[in-house]
Amino acid sequence: MDLAVIEKAANAIADKHRLSIIMEIVKKGKLVCGDVCGFTCLSQPTVSHHVKILVDSGVLNSAKSGRIVELTINKEMMKQLSMFFLQLS
């Protein structure tokens, strides 16, 4: 287990807006970046900033199709985070 990877992912999810993005993706299975602006009430540049942090940390996967960016949870990263936190309990 790479602690630097865990640290980056944990830092990425340590924000209320990013947590709400993750929870919405969990509920719906996937999201388009444009949908995030609607439920967070954040501007498009702010949403892009938060999404970039989540993707760069490996928490989210992004797939671009033309101008549409589809976001999904990186389940492998979530398993690593879960295993790390389970070791602490």
Side-chain angles (χ1 to χ4, degrees), residues 24-84:
E24 194 69 17
I25 294 171
V26 167
K27 278 193 250 177
K28 296 186 175 177
K30 62 182 174 182
L31 274 183
V32 176
C33 268
D35 294 340
V36 178
C37 294
F39 73 84
T40 61
C41 298
L42 297 172
S43 68
Q44 188 276 323
T46 302
V47 166
S48 291
H49 170 75
H50 286 301
V51 167
K52 181 176 178 5
I53 289 171
L54 290 166
V55 171
D56 287 351
S57 70
V59 172
L60 294 184
N61 296 317
S62 69
K64 192 169 185 177
S65 175
R67 293 183 57 174
I68 296 173
V69 177
E70 206 171 75
L71 303 168
T72 55
I73 299 291
N74 180 344
K75 293 184 180 186
E76 187 55 42
M77 175 57 74
M78 288 299 151
K79 284 181 192 173
Q80 287 183 39
L81 280 173
S82 295
M83 288 181 359
F84 173 77

Side-chain angles (χ1 to χ4, degrees), residues 1-6 79-85 87:
M1 184 175 303
D2 186 349
L3 287 181
V5 171
I6 297 297
K79 284 181 192 173
Q80 287 183 39
L81 280 173
S82 295
M83 288 181 359
F84 173 77
F85 287 116
Q87 289 178 355

